[in-house]
């Protein structure tokens, strides 16, 4: 009998759901046994429900093709066959909040890619290399939900992963003012060029809700648990513009930073390449060995050359140089649907398992 934990994917037919399924193929700890989506897909095999919508470059795993898709709204039924679920459903924010808590109340942990619970005070929002200690707030959440093993944990927005890890690595130099412009891939909207032909050779200077998330979510990562809730950090202040660009996968960020304590360029690079966290110490299955790479060439990082660094779980940084208005400026790149979405959530689940928060039911 399999010793792997049994996993369900909510929103399994969508772009992020498909990424979960691809990343979990042959996972050493987790086995996908249940797939759920909207009532439109329920009752069909996964292969039928996805039809021509498979968006990954690797083929659909054989093991999921004949799984009959369940209705996400049938919470007890879906939860009964799994140890925990990944959530990537696209519903209204209130519906997602309610349904994720409903799963938690069936004593099924929920590791979510959605934004709905990112500011729920007792829900941890975690990048495992940055703030793994925020999982400690789960005990207060369980008290509120009245559960013993069920809870919701989330990962942050994809846009921040190209610069928040970098600023974290530079924490001791006390960055206090940050200006970032993100150049975001179309897969971040769940789209390919086939679904969104208007994006070919185009730029759209607006992504709904993205600038506020890009400015505020890093502060929550750097916050502390106080009185059973996460209190966000007050600094650095971040201002951001988010631009949709004709790229399939990979969010690039061009960033300016002011520091209270003046570092040299060599010190900054040294902090980046030596930055490690619990995933590296514990050698979690999806952890990148090198979390942040620094590229010396003036024309890097480039999306096509660097987006898959460390299987899409690493962050690439380049063009670090002194600035005439700010202290330094740099360019960062990360994979938005791997590190920024499904891969980031899988790494959270691996850490939650390693720390005993997720166990077989
Ligand atoms: N794409 C990214 O990089 C990214 C990054 C971070 C966060 N997110 C968030 O992750 C979520 C999923 O994004 P996505 O890009 O994967 O979206 P998507 O491709 O549109 O997939 C949406 C999924 O939700 C299901 N769904 C839609 N309406 C539903 C309903 N009323 N009841 C139950 N299930 C329903 C769909 O099932 P059917 O196939 O049956 O319709 C599908 O499985 C969204 O909340 C999005 O904001 C996405």
């Amino acid at each position: 009998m399999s010793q792997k934990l049994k996993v369900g994917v909510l929103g399994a037919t969508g772009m992020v759901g498909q990424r979960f399924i691809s990343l979990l193929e042959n996972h050493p700890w987790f086995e996908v046994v249940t797939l759920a989506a909207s009532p439109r897909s329920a009752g069909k095999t996964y292969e039928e429900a996805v039809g021509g919508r498979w968006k990954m470059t690797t083929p659909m795993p054989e093991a999921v093709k004949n799984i009959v898709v369940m209705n996400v709204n049938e919470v007890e039924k879906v939860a009964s066959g799994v140890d925990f679920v990944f959530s990537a459903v696209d519903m209204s924010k209130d519906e997602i909040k309610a349904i994720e808590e409903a799963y938690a109340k069936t004593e099924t942990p929920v590791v979510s890619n959605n934004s709905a619970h990112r500011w729920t005070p007792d829900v941890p929002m975690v990048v495992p290399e940055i703030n793994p200690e925020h999982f400690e707030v789960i005990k207060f959440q369980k008290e509120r939900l009245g559960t013993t093993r069920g809870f919701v944990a989330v990962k942050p927005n994809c846009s921040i992963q190209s610069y928040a890890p970098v600023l974290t690595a530079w924490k001791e130099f006390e960055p206090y003012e940050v200006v970032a412009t993100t150049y975001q891939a179309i897969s971040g909207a769940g789209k390919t060029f086939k679904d969104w032909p208007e994006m070919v050779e185009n730029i759209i200077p607006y992504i709904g809700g993205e600038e506020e998330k890009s400015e505020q979510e890093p502060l929550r990562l750097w916050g502390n648990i106080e009185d059973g809730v996460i209190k966000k950090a007050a600094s650095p202040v971040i201002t951001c513009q988010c631009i949709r660009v004709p790229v399939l996968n990979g969010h690039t960020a061009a960033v300016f930073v002011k520091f209270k304590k003046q570092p040299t360029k060599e010190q900054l690079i040294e902090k980046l390449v030596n930055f490690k966290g619990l995933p590296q110490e514990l050698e979690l299955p999806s952890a990148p060995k090198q979390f942040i790479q620094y590229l010396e060439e003036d024309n890097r990082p480039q999306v096509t050359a660097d987006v898959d660094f460390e299987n899409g779980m690493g962050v690439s940084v380049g063009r670090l140089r002194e600035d005439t208005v700010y202290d330094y400026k740099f360019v960062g790149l990360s994979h938005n649907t791997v590190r920024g979405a499904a891969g980031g959530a899988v790494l959270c689940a691996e850490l939650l398992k390693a720390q005993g928060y997720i166990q077989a039911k």
Side-chain angles (χ1 to χ4, degrees), residues 157-163 180-191 193 196 199 202-215 240-254 303 332-337 340:
N157 197 49
C158 47
S159 62
I160 73 167
Q161 323 256 350
S162 305
Y163 56 91
T181 304
T182 60
Y183 302 87
Q184 301 193 197
I186 62 171
S187 59
K191 299 276 202 295
F193 287 108
W196 202 1
M199 274 310 298
N202 198 12
I203 280 180
I204 297 180
Y206 174 70
I207 306 174
E210 203 74 356
E211 291 174 353
E212 191 189 16
K213 291 176 190 168
S214 304
E215 292 168 356
C240 199
Q241 294 202 71
C242 298
I243 316 273
R244 188 72 76 192
V245 295
V247 160
L248 181 60
N249 291 311
H251 288 355
T252 299
V303 171
L333 168 70
S334 68
H335 196 306
N336 55 297
T337 65

Side-chain angles (χ1 to χ4, degrees), residues 11-16 37-38 40-41 53 72 88-91 113-114 158 187-188 190 336-337 341:
T13 48
M15 167 78 95
V16 178
S38 79
R40 293 179 291 275
S41 299
R53 294 185 290 160
V72 161
V89 279
D90 199 6
M91 301 163 96
N113 183 65
N114 295 309
C158 47
S187 59
N336 55 297
T337 65

Side-chain angles (χ1 to χ4, degrees), residues 270-298:
E270 190 267 328
K271 293 291 172 202
L272 291 183
V273 298
N274 290 315
F275 184 61
K276 284 187 175 57
L278 264 184
Q280 286 71 34
E281 277 173 39
L282 298 172
E283 298 183 359
L284 298 177
S286 302
K289 289 202 166 40
Q290 181 72 37
F291 182 28
I292 304 176
Q293 69 167 342
Y294 186 75
L295 298 157
E296 295 285 351
E297 299 93 323
D298 282 338

Side-chain angles (χ1 to χ4, degrees), residues 105-144:
K105 285 181 179 166
T106 67
E107 302 293 2
T108 307
V110 179
V111 182
S112 179
N113 183 65
N114 295 309
S115 61
H117 273 299
R118 288 188 196 147
W119 290 91
T120 303
D122 57 12
V123 168
M125 178 173 79
V126 168
V127 173
E129 286 87 346
I130 296 179
N131 60 331
E133 71 282 1
H134 283 195
F135 285 145
E136 289 168 27
V137 82
I138 287 171
K139 61 174 176 282
F140 301 104
Q141 188 196 139
K142 283 178 176 170
E143 279 170 25
R144 173 174 63 85

Side-chain angles (χ1 to χ4, degrees), residues 211-229:
E211 291 174 353
E212 191 189 16
K213 291 176 190 168
S214 304
E215 292 168 356
Q216 291 299 314
E217 289 187 13
L219 296 171
R220 194 170 196 258
L221 292 184
W222 297 319
N224 293 310
I225 300 176
E226 282 173 37
D227 302 324
V229 298

